[in-house]
Amino acid sequence: MSTSGAGATSGAAGGDGRTRLEDLLRQAEAEAEARGRQASEERAARSDEAPTAAAPTDRDMSPAAAPDAEDEDAVAREQRAFAARLGEFRRTAVIVPTLDGDLMTATYGGIRWIYAFSDRQALARFAVAAGWEPPPADGLEFLTVYGARLLDVVVPATGEPTGVALDVADAETGGCVMFPPVRGIVPDEAAVDGTNGEALATPGEATA
């Protein structure tokens, strides 16, 4: 599995192709941020609802009933959901397309993102979104790799901040998951927050 020269893979389709690939990453990030804002607004709306009881009781005013507790619960649920997705990804064999023998990647936000897909259908949707005509989903070369190997072996081997973008063309439906190079996702030596103290994203933010 080659990771050297991966910097050229994102541009192998030419300037316009690279722009489309980066647009997909940008869209995925925007969709994640939008879902995070919507979740925050819904939590805020629930906390602002007027009480239905005629008068508050000591139980109503207890710390356990405070809005902050609801927010903490929501964050905990999001973190558990992300941990479950991460565990599933690590145990699953995914499709990683290649160009000229190197992994297909694109750089966005100072991070190199390796493209991975759950199945051929997800890869075909990506090909369409990337603007390839005809979509080369059947003819495109790819490797089948376990997610754990991508995160634990391939990411550190790149020698630069690298994450994995899973099903990047499915951002609008919530199917895209970004695994950034932070501790708990990649080995400490490959984690940005493990080397300079600046975390690019928390697990919760990655799928908010």
Side-chain angles (χ1 to χ4, degrees), residues 55-101:
T57 65
D58 290 341
R59 183 176 180 180
D60 293 331
M61 300 302 292
S62 66
D68 287 346
E70 293 185 2
D71 291 343
E72 292 175 0
D73 288 344
V75 170
R77 286 194 298 271
E78 291 173 2
Q79 291 175 339
R80 288 194 297 269
F82 180 83
R85 293 295 299 271
L86 176 60
E88 180 182 5
F89 175 73
R90 292 181 61 84
R91 295 187 299 270
T92 302
V94 295
I95 293 173
V96 182
T98 62
L99 289 173
D100 299 326

Side-chain angles (χ1 to χ4, degrees), residues 50-190:
T52 56
T57 65
D58 290 341
R59 183 176 180 180
D60 293 331
M61 300 302 292
S62 66
D68 287 346
E70 293 185 2
D71 291 343
E72 292 175 0
D73 288 344
V75 170
R77 286 194 298 271
E78 291 173 2
Q79 291 175 339
R80 288 194 297 269
F82 180 83
R85 293 295 299 271
L86 176 60
E88 180 182 5
F89 175 73
R90 292 181 61 84
R91 295 187 299 270
T92 302
V94 295
I95 293 173
V96 182
T98 62
L99 289 173
D100 299 326
D102 289 319
L103 304 183
M104 183 181 293
T105 68
T107 300
Y108 178 70
I111 299 296
R112 184 174 304 286
W113 296 94
I114 298 171
Y115 289 105
F117 300 92
S118 299
D119 50 37
R120 288 174 177 265
Q121 290 75 24
L123 178 58
R125 290 191 294 272
F126 168 78
V128 172
W132 288 321
E133 297 179 359
D138 293 329
L140 189 66
E141 294 183 355
F142 60 84
L143 303 174
T144 301
V145 187
Y146 277 98
R149 182 171 177 81
L150 275 181
L151 296 176
D152 296 345
V153 179
V154 177
V155 165
T158 64
E160 61 183 302
T162 302
V164 177
L166 177 67
D167 297 339
V168 70
D170 298 341
E172 291 185 356
T173 61
C176 174
V177 185
M178 310 288 279
F179 298 104
V182 296
R183 285 179 294 183
I185 298 178
V186 300
D188 287 354
E189 65 271 19

